[in-house]
Amino acid sequence: MAGKQPKGKLVRRFGSNIFGNPKYSKLLDKKPNAPGKERGAKQRGKLSVYGEQLKEKQKFRFAYGMSERQFSNLFEKALKMSGVTGDNMLTLMEQRLDNTIYRMGFAVSRAQARQMVSHAYFLLNGKPANIPSMRVKAGDVITTKDKKGFQNLIRHNLSTVQGSKGAWLSVDDENLSATVTSLPAPTDIQPVGNIQYVVEFYSR
């Protein structure tokens, strides 16, 4: 998991803010080079096709906070669905409950959203939901537990979050709730990397 490597280093290695937290955008502005590059390190040769595919896979895996097994299982599921496998993967990743909370603007990053879900601060259709990988469906309603400190944190996040809210969500900022109006379409998603490379990686 991403926790084994400092997130700042991963962001610099990939050259993009895969975690969504605004602090990593600031870090990239300050240190745009990959770790080691700024010390006059020798340039390594260009990545092989396999290396590029692996890098793109890791971008998605770290960004969504998934284990290797979870991610390969997601690919297998996407492969069995009708339609384009890469698009299916994007939709499945976006449907995760922790990502949905992030897309609602209630958390500054997916990692924070994952923590919130793990602490059972949200209700899904009126029932406590504490599994970050749960998938939301069209028509689902997500509400917030009545904890003042937690609700204040969400209101603070809503005022500071830079990313745009998911177009597939109807968010009620006043009541701190949201309705999933449809499944996330690939056109609604700005992917953190090249999903086609990920499909090719698993299709070798």
Side-chain angles (χ1 to χ4, degrees), residues 9-192:
K9 278 197 170 173
L10 284 170
V11 163
R12 288 174 62 206
R13 194 173 93 205
F14 292 135
S16 65
N17 182 1
I18 59 169
F19 298 112
N21 191 323
K23 72 178 181 184
Y24 295 121
S25 295
K26 288 178 189 157
L27 174 69
L28 281 173
D29 287 341
K30 267 201 232 158
K31 297 182 171 180
N33 296 318
K37 292 278 168 68
E38 72 279 4
R39 292 194 294 276
K42 281 185 186 169
Q43 286 282 356
R44 275 188 292 186
K46 248 182 95 180
L47 277 178
S48 64
V49 173
Y50 171 80
E52 285 288 355
Q53 292 169 347
L54 177 65
K55 183 179 170 186
E56 294 304 300
K57 175 182 76 89
Q58 299 295 61
K59 271 189 197 174
F60 281 99
R61 195 166 78 71
F62 288 140
Y64 285 89
M66 298 169 73
S67 68
E68 189 61 63
R69 174 173 281 193
Q70 280 178 321
F71 200 72
S72 60
N73 285 347
L74 180 118
F75 168 75
E76 292 297 337
K77 186 176 173 69
L79 193 61
K80 288 176 187 149
M81 292 162 66
S82 61
V84 181
T85 304
D87 288 353
N88 293 341
M89 286 186 80
L90 288 175
T91 298
L92 288 170
M93 282 187 269
E94 287 288 305
Q95 276 180 268
R96 286 173 58 100
L97 181 58
D98 53 2
N99 178 76
T100 303
I101 300 297
Y102 170 60
R103 293 291 188 212
M104 285 157 57
F106 285 17
V108 295
S109 65
R110 290 186 187 89
Q112 188 186 45
R114 200 153 41 249
Q115 210 171 17
M116 289 174 168
V117 172
S118 297
H119 288 136
Y121 285 147
F122 296 101
L123 303 173
L124 184 61
N125 302 323
K127 293 177 183 165
N130 64 350
I131 301 167
S133 61
M134 282 172 80
R135 286 202 185 92
V136 298
K137 304 183 296 293
D140 280 353
V141 176
I142 298 161
T143 48
T144 311
K145 280 202 176 165
D146 192 11
K147 287 181 187 280
K148 199 158 193 281
F150 177 60
Q151 292 188 343
N152 287 342
L153 171 64
I154 291 179
R155 290 189 199 285
H156 171 73
N157 288 344
L158 280 167
S159 67
T160 55
V161 167
Q162 295 172 326
S164 57
K165 289 180 182 158
W168 44 283
L169 297 163
S170 172
V171 182
D172 182 341
D173 288 3
E174 193 52 45
N175 294 308
L176 301 184
S177 65
T179 302
V180 181
T181 50
S182 62
L183 288 186
T187 47
D188 298 331
I189 302 160
Q190 285 185 309
V192 296

